[in-house]
Amino acid sequence: MIRRLFTSALLSIVAGLGAVAQMPATELKGDVRLIVANDLGRNGYHEQKPIADLMGNVSDAVGADAILALGDTHHYMGVGSVNDPLWMTNYELIYSHPELQIAWYPLLGNHEYRGNTQAVIDYSGVSRRWVMPSRFYTRIFNDGDTRVKVVFIDTTPLIDKYHGKKDKYPDIDQQDASAQLQWLESELSRDDKADWVVVVGHHPIYAFTDKDNSERADMQTKVDPALRKYKVDMYVCGHIHNFQHIQKNGIDYVVNTSGSLSRTKVKPIDGTVFCDGGPGFSLITATPKSLTLSMIDRTGNVIHQVSRTK
């Protein structure tokens, strides 16, 4: 019993390493300001609606430029079409704050692949704030002298376990994973004169989770070599429903928590700087000399910051 208590306390201390003194998210500053949200769609239940309101308040305070929506906007079966009522109950009516009527740059999660993935892309023609040109794409966010290159990848087709299951993932086998990886290599090799390069996807490369190990193994084999080769600054994802910050290979690997229903079971692994099981979202801020991702909890406080400087 004593040994179990000691182990639990030790894990709590390690998990807290790297945490910052709590500060209001409204105090965050930067030239480029990007909200990161994912694993959202619960029809407003659990903590989706209060966190959506908090996202709006933070956006109002910091002047957010855009929102990076890193997959699973729609649990559990994706959407059937651009007219699916879930667009209203999971998205439009929930993220209704005036300061969230800015550009949302989404990507597909594994739950979108259980429905009509093309409809997720086509919704760009319905909602002016939903900006999704394709399954994978690049966007450069700039303000003054600050340029942040964000490369959006479609991770579900890169993971072998999802393939060969047409009944569950209808169009997964139509996706060309090799072509996407060639595109990723090309995008990262191109010099866009960016101060910072961030790659975002739905699935983690490194993380503590009880999900199938093959997910991370495929991401480590297929995606991570390009990130290391071109020395990207951060890889940011969702999928695990809790906060994790892991440092490896000179890269900051960030798992952003769920904006609705979190999974509290989380503990350090090799390279863990910080982890926390609560819900929330993150905010990326950048200047030419600094790139910071701030993890924001349900109360609006920053509980950890991932910082890179030049």
Side-chain angles (χ1 to χ4, degrees), residues 130-145:
W130 191 262
V131 185
M132 188 176 185
S134 60
R135 294 171 188 270
F136 42 91
Y137 58 99
T138 297
R139 171 78 184 183
I140 295 178
F141 299 91
N142 62 283
D143 185 289
D145 295 331

Side-chain angles (χ1 to χ4, degrees), residues 143-155:
D143 185 289
D145 295 331
T146 304
R147 288 171 62 84
V148 180
K149 178 177 179 177
V150 181
V151 181
F152 297 76
I153 62 174
D154 184 14
T155 57

Side-chain angles (χ1 to χ4, degrees), residues 14 33 38 79 95 113 135 145 147 157 170-171 199 245 260 277:
V14 174
R33 302 159 300 273
N38 46 266
V79 291
Y95 302 96
Y113 265 97
R135 294 171 188 270
D145 295 331
R147 288 171 62 84
D171 65 355
V199 177
H245 172 204
S260 56

Side-chain angles (χ1 to χ4, degrees), residues 108 113 117 135-136 153-160 163 171-184 222:
L108 299 168
Y113 265 97
T117 55
R135 294 171 188 270
F136 42 91
I153 62 174
D154 184 14
T155 57
T156 308
L158 304 178
I159 296 172
D160 293 343
H163 289 269
D171 65 355
I172 188 74
D173 291 328
Q174 300 171 24
Q175 310 311 316
D176 190 337
S178 295
Q180 181 182 178
L181 292 173
Q182 291 174 9
W183 171 87
L184 176 61
K222 299 175 183 180

Side-chain angles (χ1 to χ4, degrees), residues 287-305:
T287 70
K289 296 296 184 182
S290 66
L291 175 69
T292 303
L293 181 142
S294 301
M295 297 177 176
I296 301 169
D297 70 7
R298 60 166 71 86
T299 68
N301 283 323
V302 176
I303 57 173
H304 178 66
Q305 287 185 316

